[in-house]
Amino acid sequence: MKIAKGVLVALTLGAVSFSALSAELLTKEAYNDHKDQYVKVGTITTSGELSPSDAKAELSKKADELGGQFYVVTSADTENKIHGTAEVYNKK
């Protein structure tokens, strides 16, 4: 029983620390309200995704790879498959 609790606690802490490291999606409004707090680190794209959640996950992964903390979707197209572009930012 103690082992099961230990494994559960380890998995929970691992999930929390992993999500804390993932880049966060900002709305354009949230970015515009506080744009002086962010510095742009790059632009990312995704294409050929089958669902919005897949596109969001791929953009977040690419933002992480750039070392970004946040990303703002600047364009999206859902013709046949989902394509998106986002700008990646860090806090100053």
Side-chain angles (χ1 to χ4, degrees):
M1 191 70 162
K2 288 183 180 183
I3 293 173
K5 285 183 182 179
V7 170
L8 181 62
V9 168
L11 288 173
T12 303
L13 289 175
V16 170
S17 64
F18 175 74
S19 65
L21 299 176
S22 295
E24 181 181 331
L25 173 64
L26 284 179
T27 64
K28 287 181 183 180
E29 293 80 16
Y31 169 75
N32 286 332
D33 288 346
H34 304 286
K35 68 170 81 178
D36 58 326
Q37 296 179 6
Y38 302 101
V39 60
K40 185 177 175 180
V41 293
T43 301
I44 53 176
T45 62
T46 185
S47 63
E49 304 302 329
L50 299 175
S51 71
S53 62
D54 290 344
K56 181 179 174 184
E58 183 66 17
L59 288 171
S60 179
K61 177 183 168 191
K62 288 183 175 188
D64 290 343
E65 291 170 357
L66 276 179
Q69 296 172 311
F70 305 94
Y71 65 100
V72 178
V73 175
T74 56
S75 69
D77 179 21
T78 58
E79 189 174 317
N80 295 325
K81 293 190 178 181
I82 298 172
H83 307 279
T85 304
E87 293 179 346
V88 181
Y89 297 92
N90 280 331
K91 280 213 172 195
K92 289 184 179 178

